[in-house]
Amino acid sequence: MTHAPGRSMRELLATGERSFSFEFFPPKDEAGEQQLWQAITDLEPYGPTFVSVTYGAGGTTRDRTVAITERIARDTSMLPVAHLTCVGHTRAELSAILDDLHEAGVTHVMALRGDPPDGPGTPWTPTDGGLTYASELVELIRDRADMRIGVAAFPEGHVDAVDLETDARVLKAKQDAGAEFAVTDMVLRASDYAALVERAEAVGADLPIIPGIMPILNLRSMERMVEFSGRQLPEETTARLTPYADDPVALRAEGIAIATELCEDLLDAGAPGLHFYTLNRSKATREIFANLRITV
């Protein structure tokens, strides 16, 4: 099943219906592959607006990203969005990947700068013959009639941003280059998301911004993940989870409760939908959906 570009993501998000979307990553082995497709099978009945598939550092998962998005386009009713990053690729290589995606029937791309080649926290260095900014990648993709483009946004500003206004202007540059929707890094507080939307609107970036959701199921691993983006877990969140530090089951339940409240607050704040970082598992997302009374 090939998904023609058809209605833009912006048009889909403007229907007034809440959008729900899921993110997956290319697995490393056969067991991971089975887990991924089980999660996709479990979540397809919810009728997501789209599902996205990430792209490994330096293009390490290039072929698997293309293969997974191709299979989603071919074998499911869901609209796949393939991530693509500037890291480790020349312009010519990026164009070749876009050709591969087109051949695979994939019409939507998330255009990202990507993490530094040496990992989070290290200096960003562009590839010779490649691109430096996500906005340049958006321009490269925009020149093709067969692709729709999403980009990243950051609730508390990108870790490399000089200040929050500059960060908002980067989002505006990506919109001007041809992006039609944005998905945020994981939101930790609904007020951070609301402030991001306000900053974006102040500089003329009015594209739909979908908040990213990742429930805290393990406190230590989430703290590490948040550190990568130069942030800290909110004190009120840590205060609710710390009492359950030695009780993984109770901590997980509280993490799901916190995520549910966050989803409700974001939707109340006018978010066009919710984007769930699934880590290739469906159980937590389905539990949140049950709490939100979203049914198949």
Side-chain angles (χ1 to χ4, degrees), residues 215-217 240-241 250-264 287-288 291-292:
I216 302 170
L217 308 179
R240 284 180 61 174
L241 292 170
L251 187 138
R252 185 183 184 285
E254 188 66 14
I256 295 287
I258 291 169
T260 301
E261 292 163 26
L262 177 60
C263 289
E264 290 171 337
E287 287 173 30
I288 295 168
N291 291 346
L292 294 171

Side-chain angles (χ1 to χ4, degrees), residues 70-83:
E70 176 179 25
R71 185 171 162 189
I72 291 171
R74 186 186 66 229
D75 295 348
T76 78
S77 60
M78 300 186 291
L79 177 73
V81 178
H83 286 214

Side-chain angles (χ1 to χ4, degrees), residues 63 111 188 227 232 248 264 291:
D63 293 342
L188 304 176
E227 275 174 29
Q232 288 184 319
E264 290 171 337
N291 291 346

Side-chain angles (χ1 to χ4, degrees), residues 137-221:
L137 181 55
V138 173
E139 284 176 6
L140 180 76
I141 301 167
R142 184 191 61 192
D143 290 339
R144 309 172 64 104
D146 57 343
M147 288 288 173
R148 302 281 192 181
I149 308 162
V151 291
F154 302 90
E156 298 170 69
H158 189 276
V159 66
D160 293 340
V162 181
D163 55 44
L164 292 175
E165 184 182 343
T166 305
D167 184 71
R169 292 193 183 283
V170 169
L171 181 59
K172 174 70 161 67
K174 291 190 278 193
Q175 177 176 324
D176 291 345
E180 61 179 41
F181 71 103
V183 177
T184 77
D185 192 2
M186 56 184 165
V187 176
L188 304 176
R189 303 177 195 83
S191 58
D192 293 335
Y193 170 78
L196 164 65
V197 172
E198 202 172 285
R199 290 193 301 273
E201 289 175 348
V203 298
D206 62 353
L207 74 176
I209 301 174
I210 306 169
I213 306 296
M214 184 183 286
I216 302 170
L217 308 179
N218 179 300
L219 187 53
R220 297 291 161 264
S221 62

